[in-house]
Amino acid sequence: MDDLIISYLSSRKTSVKRKRIVKYVLKSFAGSESTTKSGVKDQLKMLIEAGRIACDDTGLYYLLKSPSNLPLKRPAPPQPSPPSSIRQKKTKTKPSSNLPDIRYILAPMVGASELPFRLLCRKYGATIAYTPMISSARFCLPAEEAYREEQFQTNAADRPLVAHFSANNPSEMAAAAKIVESRCDAIDLNLGCPQRVAYVGHYGSYLLDDKDRKLVLSIVRETVKAVSIPIFVKIRLLDTIEKTVTLVSQLKDAGASLVAIHARYRASFERDGAGARDGPAMLDQVKVIKERFPAFPIISNGNIITFDDCTANLKLTKADGVMSAEGILNNPGLFVDSISDPERRATLKAFASDKINLALEYLDLLKDHPATMRTVAFHTRRILKEPLTEYQLIDDVINAESVEEVRSLVLKCRKYKQDPTLFKFDSEKAAKAKAALEKKRHEEGKRKRYEDRMKRKAKREGKSLDHYLNIGAELPTLKTIASLKTLTKEKQLAIWNVSHGQHCMTYHLSPSGCPRDRACAFLHCDVGGANELVASDEVAG
């Protein structure tokens, strides 16, 4: 407990009231009957007596920055043993000395960590990059060659590379890993995706419950046996530090060579609390976890916008590397200060200081490595959010039909920046953009409003909150969809509503997909095997 308190105080820029410390510790040890308010207060007194912390006249606690602030001489805390129901024989972990440079990492991002963006980030200091999340169930199907070619694109300059898969079946994960083994440097299992489709498809962070622990460890062990390259796992924080420590220990024993921790709590179905991207990452918990596993590679993910954030993160957590998603989307040159050669670092840093240069360089990479227009528009908007907004060009980028059209808009930004007198604010265009944004937000909120209604109905009737949302949530298989396409629309609808009513029938059966896109109140999920879904709109998980 003392390490947790010290870590918490060290992460705070100001002094902290006792009740906040007590609340934080009790939350971290939720479920532990031995941790009480009085126990935390006694621990604070011990730390004051030991000269590690102090309390001022106003009752605020702070960390002492003196030689006395050293760890108390006590045995290292014992590693928690997993419940007997999931205690497994250790699998030999591939040596960490075989790992590539894991110091500065481009995170896996659906629709965003594609090949051209990976190449751009590598040039500016990223030492290793992850692919977007790939469905292992669909990837390993013999008939899905087109899906494999679309989802796993790489070249000789794209190394070291981590292939990032979602999975809920050990044999499918192992089979997918074997397909890419010779073209990447590690395989990663996604245990962090918080999206609704991950809940329905039963993967990502929804595999972190105790009831799925045997399955998760089986996936890791089978994949370790199947390939000769290291197996990584990306997780979120569990409800308490001790539970997360237990999970990391079990993954290590199952053969994982590295664990990346997105330092936010796993999402619940109700989406209450600090799930998804809500609030700052809890890096103090990563620090405690790393202290428990000093020789095992731990990656810290969260709270990184600038390179100074990377330095502060590593200093606090003592992690073996940092991973960025949101920060590097805004600035692909985020890691440029990590480049060791001073002349090259200075040259690239000067070039990247103008984000218009970065956007144009990304567009140039698309000549040899095409991406969807949705992805192109997404990256351009993220890199150049400020000038595109200032010059009223955001919607023009979103509606662009070609890379060259996007390029012309980026060059227009440069022209306006060089000579501000050329830009004339269009009040009519601004009014239309505001109205369109409000309509978009309303339309995209349809699914959430529907889910909220169903949860309220279930609560009134004393049922589990996901009761009605599980009706019609059965995943359509490729065979089912192929069969339905041979029937009349009336028969399609009748069959669909029985088992698949939560999913968008138009999305699956129409050649052009669903025109409502994200405004649709039904689930849009790509079908793979019998138990698999893929989130199409999640960016960073």
Side-chain angles (χ1 to χ4, degrees):
M1 187 189 300
D2 56 331
D3 289 337
L4 179 61
I5 295 171
I6 294 295
S7 176
Y8 177 66
L9 289 175
S10 68
S11 69
R12 310 295 297 185
K13 295 181 179 179
T14 59
S15 302
V16 184
K17 292 182 178 179
R18 185 175 68 177
K19 66 179 182 180
R20 293 191 67 179
I21 300 173
V22 172
K23 182 178 180 181
Y24 178 80
V25 173
L26 291 178
K27 183 176 181 180
S28 298
F29 286 95
S32 173
E33 296 181 358
S34 61
T35 306
T36 63
K37 285 185 180 180
S38 60
V40 178
K41 293 175 183 178
D42 291 341
Q43 191 69 21
L44 288 170
K45 292 178 183 178
M46 288 176 57
L47 289 171
I48 291 174
E49 293 171 358
R52 301 184 73 185
I53 66 174
C55 179
D56 63 21
D57 294 337
T58 63
L60 294 175
Y61 288 74
Y62 57 93
L63 188 67
L64 288 176
K65 305 291 185 180
S66 67
S68 63
N69 186 29
L70 297 172
L72 299 174
K73 297 297 182 180
R74 63 178 67 187
Q79 295 291 339
S81 299
S84 58
S85 61
I86 56 175
R87 194 175 297 141
Q88 301 289 341
K89 182 180 179 181
K90 291 185 179 181
T91 301
K92 187 175 182 181
T93 301
K94 295 175 174 65
S96 59
S97 59
N98 293 338
L99 298 183
D101 187 344
I102 56 174
R103 193 72 168 170
Y104 301 105
I105 306 173
L106 169 63
M109 295 175 283
V110 173
S113 61
E114 83 292 354
L115 176 58
F117 191 70
R118 294 199 300 268
L119 294 175
L120 180 65
C121 295
R122 290 180 189 282
K123 178 178 177 179
Y124 291 94
T127 58
I128 187 170
Y130 283 56
T131 68
M133 184 174 68
I134 303 170
S135 157
S136 62
R138 186 172 178 185
F139 196 83
C140 70
L141 292 175
E144 289 290 350
E145 184 175 351
Y147 178 78
R148 287 190 287 275
E149 291 179 358
E150 175 189 354
Q151 295 296 315
F152 188 80
Q153 298 180 11
T154 187
N155 64 13
D158 187 33
R159 303 294 285 268
L161 177 66
V162 180
H164 179 67
F165 289 100
S166 63
N168 59 18
N169 181 294
S171 61
E172 290 173 346
M173 180 68 176
K178 291 180 73 172
I179 293 171
V180 299
E181 177 182 7
S182 64
R183 294 190 289 158
C184 63
D185 301 273
I187 303 294
D188 188 69
L189 171 63
N190 181 309
L191 293 181
C193 180
Q195 300 299 304
R196 165 68 175 157
V197 287
Y199 171 79
V200 174
H202 197 55
Y203 63 83
S205 66
Y206 298 99
L207 287 178
L208 291 176
D209 286 325
D210 288 342
K211 64 183 177 63
D212 289 312
R213 192 60 51 82
K214 288 179 70 174
L215 170 62
V216 166
L217 299 180
S218 178
I219 292 172
V220 174
R221 282 193 298 272
E222 289 301 311
T223 312
V224 169
K225 293 176 185 177
V227 297
S228 59
I229 58 178
I231 305 304
F232 298 171
V233 185
K234 189 170 187 290
I235 68 170
R236 283 176 175 258
L237 297 172
L238 300 187
D239 299 335
T240 69
I241 287 181
E242 291 306 317
K243 288 183 178 180
T244 309
V245 167
T246 297
L247 171 62
V248 173
S249 178
Q250 291 167 350
L251 292 171
K252 177 177 177 290
D253 289 346
S257 296
L258 174 151
V259 172
I261 303 174
H262 185 159
R264 293 180 175 87
Y265 290 120
R266 63 193 179 115
S268 64
F269 172 76
E270 295 82 3
R271 298 176 183 172
D272 292 333
R277 301 181 184 86
D278 301 336
M282 289 160 280
L283 302 180
D284 51 313
Q285 295 201 31
V286 179
K287 177 180 183 293
V288 174
I289 294 165
K290 180 57 188 174
E291 288 172 349
R292 300 287 189 94
F293 301 95
F296 181 70
I298 298 291
I299 302 300
S300 179
N301 177 203
N303 293 1
I304 292 177
I305 301 298
T306 68
F307 191 74
D308 286 344
D309 294 332
C310 298
T311 303
N313 189 316
L314 290 168
K315 183 178 180 180
L316 171 66
T317 65
K318 302 297 188 295
D320 300 272
V322 289
M323 175 182 283
S324 177
E326 295 293 331
I328 207 166
L329 285 173
N330 296 333
N331 178 19
L334 174 67
F335 296 136
V336 69
D337 279 317
S338 71
I339 296 173
S340 57
D341 182 86
E343 184 176 347
R344 181 167 176 266
R345 180 175 65 245
T347 300
L348 290 177
K349 190 172 182 178
F351 187 78
S353 63
D354 183 352
K355 287 189 177 181
I356 291 177
N357 289 334
L358 292 174
L360 290 172
E361 191 167 3
Y362 171 72
L363 296 176
D364 287 340
L365 286 165
L366 296 169
K367 295 175 182 177
D368 294 324
H369 313 291
T372 66
M373 281 306 301
R374 183 173 184 173
T375 295
V376 173
F378 174 78
H379 280 306
T380 306
R381 284 158 42 214
R382 289 298 295 257
I383 297 170
L384 296 180
K385 180 180 180 180
E386 291 81 9
L388 288 173
T389 302
E390 181 181 355
Y391 303 131
Q392 297 180 282
L393 295 172
I394 285 281
D395 288 339
D396 299 74
V397 169
I398 293 173
N399 297 321
E401 297 182 355
S402 70
V403 173
E404 287 309 308
E405 188 177 347
V406 174
R407 184 189 303 277
S408 69
L409 295 167
V410 173
L411 292 173
K412 189 176 287 189
C413 280
R414 171 167 283 174
K415 183 174 67 173
Y416 290 153
K417 185 178 179 181
Q418 292 171 343
D419 185 358
T421 63
L422 294 174
F423 172 69
K424 304 298 181 184
F425 183 80
D426 188 334
S427 56
E428 184 179 348
K429 185 176 184 179
K432 289 181 179 178
K434 183 179 179 180
L437 180 60
E438 290 175 354
K439 180 180 179 182
K440 180 183 177 183
R441 286 174 175 168
H442 175 77
E443 292 295 315
E444 291 186 356
K446 283 182 179 178
R447 179 68 199 179
K448 186 178 187 306
R449 291 193 295 273
Y450 170 77
E451 289 185 3
D452 289 343
R453 289 197 304 273
M454 294 300 100
K455 285 189 280 188
R456 288 195 298 269
K457 181 179 179 181
K459 186 176 182 179
R460 286 196 304 270
E461 298 175 1
K463 297 179 172 66
S464 63
L465 292 182
D466 61 352
H467 175 77
Y468 287 108
L469 292 172
N470 283 333
I471 297 174
E474 182 181 328
L475 310 179
T477 65
L478 292 171
K479 184 177 180 180
T480 299
I481 290 175
S483 175
L484 286 171
K485 286 181 177 179
T486 65
L487 305 177
T488 64
K489 191 168 184 178
E490 290 74 15
K491 289 183 178 180
Q492 288 176 348
L493 188 60
I495 295 173
W496 192 269
N497 284 338
V498 172
S499 301
H500 316 300
Q502 292 290 323
H503 302 273
C504 178
M505 190 174 79
T506 304
Y507 177 80
H508 289 286
L509 301 184
S510 172
S512 57
C514 176
R516 295 183 296 271
D517 197 26
R518 293 179 65 177
C520 183
F522 295 96
L523 294 171
H524 284 196
C525 312
D526 290 335
V527 179
N531 299 304
E532 199 280 331
L533 287 170
V534 176
S536 60
D537 287 321
E538 191 225 352
V539 173

